[in-house]
Amino acid sequence: MTSLNGKTALVTGGRTGIGFGIARALVERGANVVITSRSEDKLREAAALLGDERAVGVAGEANDPEHQRIAVATAVDRFGSLDLLVNNVGGTERDGRRLVDIDVAAYQRTIDINLITALTWVQAAWHGWLGEHGGAIVNISSIASKLAVPDGTSYGTAKAALNHFTQQMANELAPGVRVNGVAAGTVLTDFTRVNVEGREDKVVRSVPLKRLGEPADVGAAVAFLLSDDASWITGHTLVVDGGRLLHNR
């Protein structure tokens, strides 16, 4: 198992789903973690599950600069460093409309939460620790970034932009900070459950490995990319999808 002993990670949106799976994978491999979300009470519960001596939650709005500053400072104050950043926060407002008909304000909100928020977290982490000490970043993308599907107009565009953002940041922040991404397939979480319930068999048939993803699948990939085992990998977005994209190439 990849070792992250002595490292401190900040995982945005780390209370549930993929974010919690990532946080758990990092703790299991020896890292300390700061997780963020909007609900302070539920964050405390999540931190307790991870182990209060190894995890702490910081509540706030993901795109709030002051919340970002506090989260970074908490990592440094509590654990002594901030070596690793995982930009997991994301989302979309699904309305089924084509780009030519989509509500521009909703489209902008999707771009903001998936792309702009990732940028501001990188800025906060860079100025708060990474710029001077180095480290690694992973941005959580989606295979929607590589597919043109009717209900993926804003989300797919935002995640495709995030993939390029990963390359751009990797180039700019080298050699001290490595930046990679993970493009996840269908992982069963509260976020995706509404789109999967009642059609699980159909979704699974589209996946060559014949199962839906689990948060731990993404967590293991993220842990690898953040570790020294990936010390010569930067600017890459790793597809973790059970082979789903094989049907669209």
Side-chain angles (χ1 to χ4, degrees):
M1 182 180 287
T2 296
S3 174
L4 295 170
N5 288 334
K7 304 291 187 181
T8 299
L10 194 161
V11 182
T12 69
R15 181 179 67 82
T16 62
I18 289 177
F20 184 78
I22 292 169
R24 171 169 279 168
L26 302 185
V27 168
E28 288 174 348
R29 289 157 175 78
N32 300 309
V33 298
V34 175
I35 55 176
T36 73
S37 183
R38 287 177 290 190
S39 172
E40 187 168 353
D41 290 342
K42 292 180 179 179
L43 267 175
R44 279 197 294 267
E45 294 173 6
L49 289 172
L50 294 169
D52 287 324
E53 72 284 356
R54 301 279 299 284
V56 61
V58 178
E61 293 290 337
N63 60 356
D64 177 15
E66 181 63 9
H67 165 60
Q68 296 170 349
R69 185 193 67 77
I70 291 171
V72 170
T74 297
V76 175
D77 294 343
R78 174 76 176 266
F79 300 117
S81 66
L82 175 59
D83 311 287
L84 315 169
L85 171 66
V86 182
N87 275 313
N88 171 67
V89 164
T92 187
E93 299 181 31
R94 298 182 183 276
D95 64 9
R97 287 184 283 183
R98 301 176 301 168
L99 281 173
V100 290
D101 299 313
I102 202 168
D103 178 72
V104 173
Y107 188 87
Q108 182 66 60
R109 287 191 293 270
T110 300
I111 298 295
D112 286 346
I113 194 60
N114 290 283
L115 179 63
I116 306 304
T117 298
L119 167 62
T120 53
W121 274 108
V122 171
Q123 290 175 329
W126 173 267
H127 293 294
W129 184 268
L130 292 178
E132 182 177 353
H133 303 278
I137 298 169
V138 170
N139 300 313
I140 303 304
S141 183
S142 167
I143 61 169
S145 65
K146 301 176 180 295
L147 297 171
V149 295
D151 61 348
T153 50
S154 57
Y155 185 68
T157 303
K159 291 302 191 183
L162 184 66
N163 295 349
H164 184 77
F165 169 84
T166 293
Q167 293 180 312
Q168 187 68 31
M169 276 293 178
N171 191 47
E172 292 187 11
L173 302 189
V177 176
R178 295 184 302 105
V179 186
N180 291 292
V182 169
T186 303
V187 177
L188 194 56
T189 66
D190 290 341
F191 177 71
T192 61
R193 196 177 306 276
V194 66
N195 298 312
V196 173
E197 285 184 342
R199 52 191 294 269
E200 291 91 340
D201 290 345
K202 180 180 180 181
V203 175
V204 168
R205 283 198 300 272
S206 71
V207 180
L209 293 185
K210 299 307 177 190
R211 69 173 177 88
L212 299 178
E214 300 175 1
D217 295 316
V218 180
V222 171
F224 165 70
L225 290 172
L226 292 175
S227 76
D228 290 341
D229 291 341
S231 62
W232 210 45
I233 301 174
T234 196
H236 178 71
T237 295
L238 175 65
V239 175
V240 180
D241 71 342
R244 170 67 179 81
L245 282 183
L246 294 174
H247 290 178
N248 292 85
R249 289 179 176 173

